[in-house]
Amino acid sequence: MSRVLVGVKRVIDYAVKIRVKPDKTGVVTDGVKHSMNPFDEIAIEEAVRMKEKKLAEEVIAVSCGPPQAQEVLRTALAMGADRAIHVEVSGPEYDTLQPFHVSKILAKLAQDEKADLVILGKQAIDDDCNQTAQMTAGVLDWPCGTFCSKVESSSGELTITREVDGGLETLKIKTPAVLSADLRLNEPRYATLPNIMKAKKKPIKKTTPKDLGIETAPRVEIKSVDEPPVRQGGSILPDADALVAKLKEKGFA
Amino acid sequence: MFSSNARNLIRSSLINRCKSTLVVAEHNNEALNPITLNTISAAKKIGGEVTVLVAGTKCGPASEALAKVEGVAKVLVAENAAFKGFTPESITPLVLAAQSQFKFTHILAGATAFGKNVLPRVASKLDVSPISEIIDIKSEDTFVRTIYAGNAILTLRSTDPVKVITVRGTNFAPAAATGGSGAVEQAPTGDYASQLSEFVSQELTKSDRPELTGAKVIVSGGRGLKSGDNFKLLYDLADKFGAAVGASRAAVDAGYVPNDLQIGQTGKIVAPELYIAVGISGAIQHLAGMKDSKTIVAINKDPEAPIFQVADIGLVADLFKAVPELTGKL
């Protein structure tokens, strides 16, 4: 195996309590802390570990999004990616950009860069789609190992352990392949200051979907984004006896 | 004879112009996964004829059960060694073959590890943008789903010719398992064996408890349990209710319980009648998986824990004292 392509997405930081815009067109993103999608950190970490084990020669980080997407690419470079590609998409075009479009962009880049493996996070914590890896594999006609918690590599083949509803399952898939990282695949490293400095010198190539020949016409129309129904906090009870009484009253005990 | 044929012809051409939905059934070669019944309800809400596809190495039990489900017009059966492990590389070409024969307007599956794995691949092959984990259907092209860990509700209209959708089971009541009389037919045949991937083995968590996503009562533990051994306290409490046991990500990461018990944004989404959160602070990501529960009870020693903002009933107490006491008194 020689080259690994990793997709990284800039999303609102996982710890931020999001706010829906009053006009119901989306959520407030201006002035809100963003960072790399947590699953993508795991994807980058796995690729860098493969390089450290000499299973990969080069790690390329890719992000589709507005100019600020370069911040997450710098983070990926500081974690150990060799170079990066920024596919610039912004404004209304970015608002309706779906895994549908991103998967075509990633598939084209995987071919152009002669990647043997594409590693993505299992889902982005903003749109919660959980589609891009599966669709990228579909476009490329490569096998897909989703929700990976363990990846072992041997010549031309990967043995992966997947997190499924009832437990775990093991598959063998042929490379080239697409993988999606689940939470328990690894513990991503922190970028150290010297590595952050070094990352500033690593190249980020800029391109656009148009340059790649990918259409970004919207496939969905956003009708509205609303606040979820608010739950009212209830009563605090003094002791277990009161709780038992309350459960009985509600017919649970 | 002629007249009945003509009538069938008229009937089928009428149906062809209407909506028709394919539900990709989930089963384990022995039994149907109940989420398929919730998915059939979603299909019925779209309107039009509902066809269910059963693929596997042994399809008898699931297809027999599905033929009796109310509202199922047809069950397509594809029994083949190629579907061992239900890999998306083998199931996708089968769904595409069914699609090219019957021209469905909607293709649905439950939003489980299986549905999430297979349907986006199908969508990419049909060149359409799939729609994940819908919670409601406004019309044949307008759907509702949650984004940002359930903190915003997105209503979207799909402009694609075929809608490929996964369905959040807890938001649709299961279709009645009896009263139907669907026709069982052979699915389009083909060479579905994929050289790309091969199922090796699985290691499933064995439990006598009800399945988490369908349980009426769930007792769930977090970091506050401090060890895997202490989960015994929760199993004892769960026994009083015949409940399932779940966990927060912290409890799974710490190795107290296996990952398939995780409830939350990236684990399972549950909506039981009663959810008892023990030693769980209530992070955004955990709330995403349980805040549609009918009644939420929180037991936590930290009165400031965010879980109390969503709990109907709260008990500020040390769980190591309160849980055994509660178990004893129930």
Side-chain angles (χ1 to χ4, degrees):
Chain A
M1 177 185 312
S2 61
R3 197 166 286 137
V4 186
L5 197 73
V6 185
V8 291
K9 187 178 186 183
R10 176 180 178 266
V11 298
I12 293 182
D13 189 83
Y14 74 93
V16 170
K17 175 91 182 80
I18 63 118
R19 281 184 302 130
V20 171
K21 285 185 192 168
D23 67 359
K24 298 187 171 189
T25 55
V27 306
V28 177
T29 55
D30 288 345
V32 174
K33 187 187 177 195
H34 283 67
S35 44
M36 189 191 291
N37 179 43
F39 289 96
D40 302 348
E41 291 183 7
I42 298 169
I44 280 280
E45 176 66 31
E46 195 66 17
V48 172
R49 287 186 191 188
M50 282 180 169
K51 196 182 164 192
E52 288 166 347
K53 286 187 221 153
K54 310 251 183 272
L55 296 167
E57 276 168 32
E58 192 183 30
V59 177
I60 309 166
V62 181
S63 192
C64 303
Q68 298 95 313
Q70 292 196 14
E71 296 159 15
V72 300
L73 288 173
R74 288 287 170 208
T75 306
L77 294 170
M79 287 174 74
D82 297 288
R83 60 188 171 96
I85 302 171
H86 175 212
V87 184
E88 189 166 344
V89 187
S90 47
E93 189 190 8
Y94 187 59
D95 292 339
T96 53
L97 196 78
Q98 302 280 305
F100 173 83
H101 307 105
V102 176
S103 62
K104 290 185 175 188
I105 291 168
L106 291 173
K108 178 72 169 61
L109 287 172
Q111 284 169 326
D112 289 355
E113 301 291 340
K114 299 189 169 47
D116 309 285
L117 192 61
V118 177
I119 312 182
L120 306 174
K122 89 162 173 182
Q123 77 192 64
I125 61 165
D126 51 2
D127 61 27
D128 280 334
C129 276
N130 194 333
Q131 299 170 349
T132 308
Q134 296 88 317
M135 297 189 80
T136 304
V139 175
L140 288 164
D141 252 320
W142 291 2
C144 191
T146 48
F147 325 145
C148 292
S149 63
K150 193 171 165 197
V151 177
E152 289 163 298
S153 175
S154 57
S155 59
E157 202 174 71
L158 297 168
T159 301
I160 55 165
T161 304
R162 303 179 55 230
E163 297 201 9
V164 294
D165 290 336
L168 298 170
E169 71 174 31
T170 306
L171 297 179
K172 274 188 182 162
I173 62 175
K174 292 226 167 78
T175 51
V178 181
L179 302 178
S180 83
D182 215 320
L183 281 173
R184 276 158 281 271
L185 181 58
N186 60 48
E187 183 89 26
R189 70 194 64 189
Y190 289 102
T192 60
L193 188 59
N195 285 341
I196 292 170
M197 300 312 285
K198 264 189 245 165
K200 291 187 179 176
K201 295 202 183 72
K202 291 182 181 176
I204 297 183
K205 187 171 97 182
K206 254 176 79 167
T207 184
T208 63
K210 199 159 167 262
D211 292 342
L212 298 168
I214 307 294
E215 269 278 341
T216 52
R219 292 297 179 125
V220 294
E221 187 190 317
I222 296 167
K223 304 290 276 185
S224 70
V225 175
D226 297 272
E227 296 270 4
V230 180
R231 274 192 95 101
Q232 296 298 328
S235 51
I236 300 285
L237 303 176
D239 53 30
D241 283 325
L243 179 52
V244 172
K246 194 85 180 176
L247 289 173
K248 282 188 174 150
E249 181 193 314
K250 287 188 170 265
F252 290 121
Chain B
M1 193 68 191
F2 172 75
S3 68
S4 107
N5 274 347
R7 220 177 4 232
N8 280 341
L9 211 65
I10 292 162
R11 189 168 156 264
S12 69
S13 70
L14 272 176
I15 287 167
N16 282 344
R17 268 182 272 138
C18 292
K19 295 157 277 192
S20 64
T21 299
L22 178 71
V23 172
V24 183
E26 180 167 351
H27 69 117
N28 62 1
N29 295 315
E30 284 160 22
L32 186 68
N33 184 324
I35 197 169
T36 306
L37 298 176
N38 308 82
T39 310
I40 290 168
S41 289
K44 291 201 304 203
K45 195 162 177 183
I46 291 166
E49 193 171 271
V50 179
T51 301
V52 187
L53 174 66
V54 184
T57 54
K58 187 170 167 244
C59 299
S63 48
E64 279 161 32
L66 282 161
K68 294 184 203 128
V69 174
E70 200 191 335
V72 172
K74 191 159 43 184
V75 181
L76 296 173
V77 181
E79 190 169 288
N80 194 316
F83 304 123
K84 186 183 174 200
F86 307 98
T87 61
E89 292 78 18
S90 63
I91 306 268
T92 301
L94 169 68
V95 177
L96 297 176
Q99 173 62 16
S100 81
Q101 183 174 343
F102 297 102
K103 314 280 184 232
F104 299 104
T105 55
H106 297 72
I107 300 176
L108 270 55
T112 57
F114 168 77
K116 290 171 181 176
N117 194 21
V118 174
L119 255 56
R121 190 178 182 96
V122 170
S124 79
K125 291 293 177 196
L126 294 171
D127 201 34
V128 301
S129 180
I131 304 158
S132 292
E133 223 166 336
I134 59 163
I135 61 169
D136 199 6
I137 294 162
K138 294 287 179 200
S139 73
E140 61 187 280
D141 64 1
T142 304
F143 308 96
V144 185
R145 57 183 301 267
T146 65
I147 52 176
Y148 290 93
N151 288 297
I153 313 267
L154 169 67
T155 305
L156 64 91
R157 192 175 81 84
S158 163
T159 56
D160 281 315
V162 182
K163 278 69 168 163
V164 177
I165 297 167
T166 58
V167 174
R168 184 174 290 177
T170 50
N171 289 78
F172 297 87
T178 56
S181 54
V184 178
E185 293 176 18
Q186 182 71 39
T189 51
D191 180 16
Y192 300 120
S194 171
Q195 307 306 313
L196 298 175
S197 61
E198 184 197 335
F199 173 84
V200 178
S201 64
Q202 58 182 199
E203 198 183 310
L204 301 183
T205 307
K206 286 196 179 63
S207 172
D208 301 330
R209 298 178 190 285
E211 204 272 321
L212 204 48
T213 51
K216 295 259 185 293
V217 180
I218 295 174
V219 178
S220 202
R223 199 195 305 273
L225 268 293
K226 294 202 173 92
S227 79
D229 291 341
N230 289 336
F231 258 75
K232 168 128 195 351
L233 295 174
L234 300 194
Y235 294 129
D236 292 343
L237 177 59
D239 286 342
K240 295 282 178 179
F241 295 101
V245 172
S248 70
R249 178 186 168 187
V252 177
D253 280 352
Y256 303 167
V257 290
N259 62 279
D260 55 293
L261 297 194
Q262 184 177 328
I263 290 167
Q265 180 183 18
T266 65
K268 293 192 170 72
I269 309 278
V270 299
E273 298 289 321
L274 175 63
Y275 188 89
I276 305 180
V278 181
I280 291 176
S281 65
I284 295 169
Q285 292 76 17
H286 185 74
L287 300 183
M290 47 62 83
K291 68 180 177 186
D292 288 335
S293 304
K294 290 259 165 46
T295 299
I296 299 173
V297 173
I299 302 174
N300 203 302
K301 67 179 175 195
D302 176 10
E304 303 297 321
I307 191 79
F308 288 119
Q309 288 162 26
V310 301
D312 302 284
I313 307 168
L315 181 61
V316 180
D318 181 355
L319 71 92
F320 293 104
K321 192 174 153 282
V323 173
E325 203 183 332
L326 187 60
T327 306
K329 285 175 176 167
L330 280 165

